[in-house]
Amino acid sequence: MSTIAPDYVKTDMGSIQIAPEVIEIIAGLATVEVQGVAGMSGGLAGGIAELLGRKNLSKGVKVEVGQREAAIDVSIIIEYGNRIPEVASAIQQNVKHAIESMTGLSVVEVNVHIHDVHFKQADKPVEEETAAAGRVK
């Protein structure tokens, strides 16, 4: 994951620098807030997309940050049954808004990479759960 450190912003009181990792976390949080996103993707490892939990939000994000602008790449796993263009558009809007409102940087692009589709597992029937609980006792 390559990032470019931004220049310092000078103010009357001193300088302000936002670490690229902070922008990655903001982008990751804004991404998983979107309905239809199963999680962040750590990339393709051995041909299988790795689904990352909420603790690893920045792992599926790559940022390039300048003094006033940022470009973001997010890699996700989408939940089955959602319209990919709609989810991707919502991610782009949410990430752009979050970064611009929190940092003051202008987001010039948000690229969304869908690495996999997540299928929800069917719930176990109640009879199986009670039978399994009876064996444990």
Side-chain angles (χ1 to χ4, degrees):
M1 181 180 332
S2 67
T3 57
I4 299 172
D7 296 329
Y8 286 97
V9 175
K10 300 287 184 188
T11 68
D12 293 340
M13 299 293 292
S15 61
I16 300 169
Q17 181 183 25
I18 301 169
E21 293 82 11
V22 171
I23 296 168
E24 290 172 355
I25 291 169
I26 294 168
L29 284 168
T31 299
V32 296
E33 287 176 349
V34 174
Q35 187 172 349
V37 174
M40 303 302 292
S41 174
L44 297 174
I48 300 170
E50 177 187 6
L51 178 62
L52 301 170
R54 291 187 179 269
K55 293 179 183 177
N56 296 313
L57 291 173
S58 64
K59 297 292 185 195
V61 181
K62 179 182 151 197
V63 301
E64 292 183 24
V65 185
Q67 189 170 2
R68 295 189 178 111
E69 295 181 335
I72 316 296
D73 285 274
V74 295
S75 298
I76 67 156
I77 296 176
I78 194 163
E79 291 177 353
Y80 178 77
N82 290 280
R83 292 182 45 83
I84 293 173
E86 290 174 6
V87 173
S89 178
I91 290 168
Q92 289 173 321
Q93 293 170 12
N94 209 32
V95 168
K96 179 177 174 65
H97 179 292
I99 291 173
E100 288 181 348
S101 66
M102 291 182 74
T103 67
L105 292 170
S106 174
V107 175
V108 293
E109 63 183 30
V110 177
N111 301 306
V112 180
H113 307 277
I114 292 90
H115 284 232
D116 203 356
V117 177
H118 182 260
F119 298 93
K120 292 183 181 180
Q121 294 187 2
D123 293 330
K124 291 182 181 178
V126 177
E127 304 90 47
E128 284 184 29
E129 289 179 10
T130 54
R135 285 184 291 220
V136 175
K137 292 181 181 177

PDB file of all heavy atoms in Angstrom, residues 89-110:
ATOM      1  N   SER A  89     -21.405   3.857  -6.507  1.00  0.00           N
ATOM      2  CA  SER A  89     -21.686   5.299  -6.527  1.00  0.00           C
ATOM      3  C   SER A  89     -21.894   5.840  -5.117  1.00  0.00           C
ATOM      4  O   SER A  89     -21.395   6.919  -4.771  1.00  0.00           O
ATOM      5  CB  SER A  89     -22.923   5.574  -7.387  1.00  0.00           C
ATOM      6  OG  SER A  89     -23.228   6.939  -7.388  1.00  0.00           O
ATOM      7  N   ALA A  90     -22.606   5.081  -4.290  1.00  0.00           N
ATOM      8  CA  ALA A  90     -22.832   5.507  -2.908  1.00  0.00           C
ATOM      9  C   ALA A  90     -21.509   5.554  -2.135  1.00  0.00           C
ATOM     10  O   ALA A  90     -21.286   6.459  -1.321  1.00  0.00           O
ATOM     11  CB  ALA A  90     -23.821   4.561  -2.223  1.00  0.00           C
ATOM     12  N   ILE A  91     -20.616   4.607  -2.409  1.00  0.00           N
ATOM     13  CA  ILE A  91     -19.297   4.607  -1.765  1.00  0.00           C
ATOM     14  C   ILE A  91     -18.530   5.861  -2.179  1.00  0.00           C
ATOM     15  O   ILE A  91     -17.954   6.563  -1.339  1.00  0.00           O
ATOM     16  CB  ILE A  91     -18.494   3.342  -2.140  1.00  0.00           C
ATOM     17  CG1 ILE A  91     -19.114   2.112  -1.483  1.00  0.00           C
ATOM     18  CG2 ILE A  91     -17.026   3.489  -1.755  1.00  0.00           C
ATOM     19  CD1 ILE A  91     -18.567   0.792  -2.012  1.00  0.00           C
ATOM     20  N   GLN A  92     -18.523   6.154  -3.481  1.00  0.00           N
ATOM     21  CA  GLN A  92     -17.796   7.326  -3.971  1.00  0.00           C
ATOM     22  C   GLN A  92     -18.298   8.603  -3.302  1.00  0.00           C
ATOM     23  O   GLN A  92     -17.499   9.426  -2.841  1.00  0.00           O
ATOM     24  CB  GLN A  92     -17.933   7.441  -5.495  1.00  0.00           C
ATOM     25  CG  GLN A  92     -17.164   6.363  -6.231  1.00  0.00           C
ATOM     26  CD  GLN A  92     -17.435   6.365  -7.715  1.00  0.00           C
ATOM     27  OE1 GLN A  92     -18.569   6.577  -8.158  1.00  0.00           O
ATOM     28  NE2 GLN A  92     -16.399   6.118  -8.501  1.00  0.00           N
ATOM     29  N   GLN A  93     -19.606   8.766  -3.225  1.00  0.00           N
ATOM     30  CA  GLN A  93     -20.172   9.963  -2.614  1.00  0.00           C
ATOM     31  C   GLN A  93     -19.869  10.038  -1.124  1.00  0.00           C
ATOM     32  O   GLN A  93     -19.492  11.088  -0.600  1.00  0.00           O
ATOM     33  CB  GLN A  93     -21.678  10.011  -2.848  1.00  0.00           C
ATOM     34  CG  GLN A  93     -22.059  10.215  -4.299  1.00  0.00           C
ATOM     35  CD  GLN A  93     -23.549  10.025  -4.553  1.00  0.00           C
ATOM     36  OE1 GLN A  93     -24.338   9.949  -3.625  1.00  0.00           O
ATOM     37  NE2 GLN A  93     -23.922   9.940  -5.817  1.00  0.00           N
ATOM     38  N   ASN A  94     -20.016   8.907  -0.412  1.00  0.00           N
ATOM     39  CA  ASN A  94     -19.806   8.882   1.032  1.00  0.00           C
ATOM     40  C   ASN A  94     -18.337   9.143   1.394  1.00  0.00           C
ATOM     41  O   ASN A  94     -18.044   9.904   2.321  1.00  0.00           O
ATOM     42  CB  ASN A  94     -20.271   7.544   1.607  1.00  0.00           C
ATOM     43  CG  ASN A  94     -20.751   7.657   3.032  1.00  0.00           C
ATOM     44  OD1 ASN A  94     -21.298   8.677   3.440  1.00  0.00           O
ATOM     45  ND2 ASN A  94     -20.544   6.605   3.802  1.00  0.00           N
ATOM     46  N   VAL A  95     -17.416   8.523   0.659  1.00  0.00           N
ATOM     47  CA  VAL A  95     -15.987   8.713   0.923  1.00  0.00           C
ATOM     48  C   VAL A  95     -15.589  10.154   0.634  1.00  0.00           C
ATOM     49  O   VAL A  95     -14.898  10.793   1.441  1.00  0.00           O
ATOM     50  CB  VAL A  95     -15.144   7.722   0.092  1.00  0.00           C
ATOM     51  CG1 VAL A  95     -13.665   8.091   0.110  1.00  0.00           C
ATOM     52  CG2 VAL A  95     -15.344   6.301   0.595  1.00  0.00           C
ATOM     53  N   LYS A  96     -16.029  10.683  -0.497  1.00  0.00           N
ATOM     54  CA  LYS A  96     -15.699  12.073  -0.859  1.00  0.00           C
ATOM     55  C   LYS A  96     -16.203  13.041   0.210  1.00  0.00           C
ATOM     56  O   LYS A  96     -15.456  13.895   0.686  1.00  0.00           O
ATOM     57  CB  LYS A  96     -16.307  12.411  -2.221  1.00  0.00           C
ATOM     58  CG  LYS A  96     -16.049  13.839  -2.686  1.00  0.00           C
ATOM     59  CD  LYS A  96     -16.616  14.053  -4.078  1.00  0.00           C
ATOM     60  CE  LYS A  96     -16.536  15.474  -4.555  1.00  0.00           C
ATOM     61  NZ  LYS A  96     -15.206  15.989  -4.755  1.00  0.00           N
ATOM     62  N   HIS A  97     -17.444  12.883   0.618  1.00  0.00           N
ATOM     63  CA  HIS A  97     -18.031  13.779   1.620  1.00  0.00           C
ATOM     64  C   HIS A  97     -17.291  13.680   2.956  1.00  0.00           C
ATOM     65  O   HIS A  97     -16.964  14.687   3.591  1.00  0.00           O
ATOM     66  CB  HIS A  97     -19.505  13.456   1.814  1.00  0.00           C
ATOM     67  CG  HIS A  97     -20.177  14.310   2.836  1.00  0.00           C
ATOM     68  ND1 HIS A  97     -19.897  14.243   4.173  1.00  0.00           N
ATOM     69  CD2 HIS A  97     -21.108  15.282   2.724  1.00  0.00           C
ATOM     70  CE1 HIS A  97     -20.610  15.118   4.844  1.00  0.00           C
ATOM     71  NE2 HIS A  97     -21.359  15.764   3.977  1.00  0.00           N
ATOM     72  N   ALA A  98     -17.008  12.450   3.409  1.00  0.00           N
ATOM     73  CA  ALA A  98     -16.352  12.251   4.705  1.00  0.00           C
ATOM     74  C   ALA A  98     -14.962  12.880   4.728  1.00  0.00           C
ATOM     75  O   ALA A  98     -14.617  13.597   5.671  1.00  0.00           O
ATOM     76  CB  ALA A  98     -16.272  10.763   5.038  1.00  0.00           C
ATOM     77  N   ILE A  99     -14.183  12.632   3.701  1.00  0.00           N
ATOM     78  CA  ILE A  99     -12.811  13.160   3.679  1.00  0.00           C
ATOM     79  C   ILE A  99     -12.812  14.676   3.544  1.00  0.00           C
ATOM     80  O   ILE A  99     -12.072  15.364   4.260  1.00  0.00           O
ATOM     81  CB  ILE A  99     -11.990  12.484   2.569  1.00  0.00           C
ATOM     82  CG1 ILE A  99     -11.752  11.022   2.935  1.00  0.00           C
ATOM     83  CG2 ILE A  99     -10.656  13.215   2.354  1.00  0.00           C
ATOM     84  CD1 ILE A  99     -11.113  10.197   1.859  1.00  0.00           C
ATOM     85  N   GLU A 100     -13.640  15.191   2.647  1.00  0.00           N
ATOM     86  CA  GLU A 100     -13.659  16.646   2.457  1.00  0.00           C
ATOM     87  C   GLU A 100     -14.152  17.374   3.702  1.00  0.00           C
ATOM     88  O   GLU A 100     -13.599  18.410   4.077  1.00  0.00           O
ATOM     89  CB  GLU A 100     -14.509  17.010   1.239  1.00  0.00           C
ATOM     90  CG  GLU A 100     -13.828  16.644  -0.064  1.00  0.00           C
ATOM     91  CD  GLU A 100     -14.603  17.006  -1.309  1.00  0.00           C
ATOM     92  OE1 GLU A 100     -15.801  17.348  -1.221  1.00  0.00           O
ATOM     93  OE2 GLU A 100     -14.009  16.943  -2.401  1.00  0.00           O
ATOM     94  N   SER A 101     -15.170  16.830   4.374  1.00  0.00           N
ATOM     95  CA  SER A 101     -15.708  17.524   5.548  1.00  0.00           C
ATOM     96  C   SER A 101     -14.781  17.405   6.761  1.00  0.00           C
ATOM     97  O   SER A 101     -14.688  18.324   7.561  1.00  0.00           O
ATOM     98  CB  SER A 101     -17.107  17.020   5.892  1.00  0.00           C
ATOM     99  OG  SER A 101     -17.068  15.672   6.301  1.00  0.00           O
ATOM    100  N   MET A 102     -14.053  16.299   6.890  1.00  0.00           N
ATOM    101  CA  MET A 102     -13.193  16.109   8.060  1.00  0.00           C
ATOM    102  C   MET A 102     -11.798  16.703   7.896  1.00  0.00           C
ATOM    103  O   MET A 102     -11.180  17.104   8.880  1.00  0.00           O
ATOM    104  CB  MET A 102     -13.075  14.623   8.397  1.00  0.00           C
ATOM    105  CG  MET A 102     -14.367  14.018   8.913  1.00  0.00           C
ATOM    106  SD  MET A 102     -14.190  12.297   9.364  1.00  0.00           S
ATOM    107  CE  MET A 102     -13.278  12.461  10.884  1.00  0.00           C
ATOM    108  N   THR A 103     -11.286  16.747   6.663  1.00  0.00           N
ATOM    109  CA  THR A 103      -9.898  17.174   6.471  1.00  0.00           C
ATOM    110  C   THR A 103      -9.747  18.485   5.725  1.00  0.00           C
ATOM    111  O   THR A 103      -8.691  19.101   5.800  1.00  0.00           O
ATOM    112  CB  THR A 103      -9.101  16.109   5.684  1.00  0.00           C
ATOM    113  OG1 THR A 103      -9.611  16.028   4.347  1.00  0.00           O
ATOM    114  CG2 THR A 103      -9.165  14.752   6.364  1.00  0.00           C
ATOM    115  N   GLY A 104     -10.769  18.871   4.963  1.00  0.00           N
ATOM    116  CA  GLY A 104     -10.643  20.076   4.142  1.00  0.00           C
ATOM    117  C   GLY A 104      -9.944  19.816   2.819  1.00  0.00           C
ATOM    118  O   GLY A 104      -9.813  20.719   2.001  1.00  0.00           O
ATOM    119  N   LEU A 105      -9.491  18.592   2.598  1.00  0.00           N
ATOM    120  CA  LEU A 105      -8.861  18.248   1.321  1.00  0.00           C
ATOM    121  C   LEU A 105      -9.918  18.116   0.243  1.00  0.00           C
ATOM    122  O   LEU A 105     -11.058  17.745   0.522  1.00  0.00           O
ATOM    123  CB  LEU A 105      -8.111  16.916   1.435  1.00  0.00           C
ATOM    124  CG  LEU A 105      -6.877  16.887   2.324  1.00  0.00           C
ATOM    125  CD1 LEU A 105      -6.410  15.451   2.518  1.00  0.00           C
ATOM    126  CD2 LEU A 105      -5.768  17.723   1.710  1.00  0.00           C
ATOM    127  N   SER A 106      -9.549  18.381  -0.981  1.00  0.00           N
ATOM    128  CA  SER A 106     -10.444  18.176  -2.118  1.00  0.00           C
ATOM    129  C   SER A 106     -10.183  16.777  -2.665  1.00  0.00           C
ATOM    130  O   SER A 106      -9.052  16.441  -3.011  1.00  0.00           O
ATOM    131  CB  SER A 106     -10.160  19.230  -3.195  1.00  0.00           C
ATOM    132  OG  SER A 106     -10.921  18.958  -4.344  1.00  0.00           O
ATOM    133  N   VAL A 107     -11.229  15.959  -2.724  1.00  0.00           N
ATOM    134  CA  VAL A 107     -11.085  14.592  -3.235  1.00  0.00           C
ATOM    135  C   VAL A 107     -11.314  14.642  -4.747  1.00  0.00           C
ATOM    136  O   VAL A 107     -12.395  14.974  -5.214  1.00  0.00           O
ATOM    137  CB  VAL A 107     -12.076  13.631  -2.555  1.00  0.00           C
ATOM    138  CG1 VAL A 107     -11.989  12.244  -3.175  1.00  0.00           C
ATOM    139  CG2 VAL A 107     -11.797  13.573  -1.056  1.00  0.00           C
ATOM    140  N   VAL A 108     -10.264  14.318  -5.506  1.00  0.00           N
ATOM    141  CA  VAL A 108     -10.354  14.399  -6.961  1.00  0.00           C
ATOM    142  C   VAL A 108     -10.879  13.120  -7.591  1.00  0.00           C
ATOM    143  O   VAL A 108     -11.448  13.156  -8.683  1.00  0.00           O
ATOM    144  CB  VAL A 108      -8.997  14.788  -7.597  1.00  0.00           C
ATOM    145  CG1 VAL A 108      -8.624  16.209  -7.219  1.00  0.00           C
ATOM    146  CG2 VAL A 108      -7.893  13.839  -7.206  1.00  0.00           C
ATOM    147  N   GLU A 109     -10.689  11.984  -6.911  1.00  0.00           N
ATOM    148  CA  GLU A 109     -11.265  10.735  -7.429  1.00  0.00           C
ATOM    149  C   GLU A 109     -11.368   9.698  -6.326  1.00  0.00           C
ATOM    150  O   GLU A 109     -10.577   9.675  -5.393  1.00  0.00           O
ATOM    151  CB  GLU A 109     -10.469  10.172  -8.603  1.00  0.00           C
ATOM    152  CG  GLU A 109      -9.060   9.768  -8.306  1.00  0.00           C
ATOM    153  CD  GLU A 109      -8.312   9.291  -9.561  1.00  0.00           C
ATOM    154  OE1 GLU A 109      -8.614   9.746 -10.666  1.00  0.00           O
ATOM    155  OE2 GLU A 109      -7.423   8.433  -9.391  1.00  0.00           O
ATOM    156  N   VAL A 110     -12.406   8.863  -6.455  1.00  0.00           N
ATOM    157  CA  VAL A 110     -12.591   7.708  -5.582  1.00  0.00           C
ATOM    158  C   VAL A 110     -12.834   6.522  -6.506  1.00  0.00           C
ATOM    159  O   VAL A 110     -13.867   6.444  -7.165  1.00  0.00           O
ATOM    160  CB  VAL A 110     -13.789   7.889  -4.609  1.00  0.00           C
ATOM    161  CG1 VAL A 110     -13.976   6.629  -3.769  1.00  0.00           C
ATOM    162  CG2 VAL A 110     -13.608   9.110  -3.729  1.00  0.00           C
TER     163      VAL A 110
END
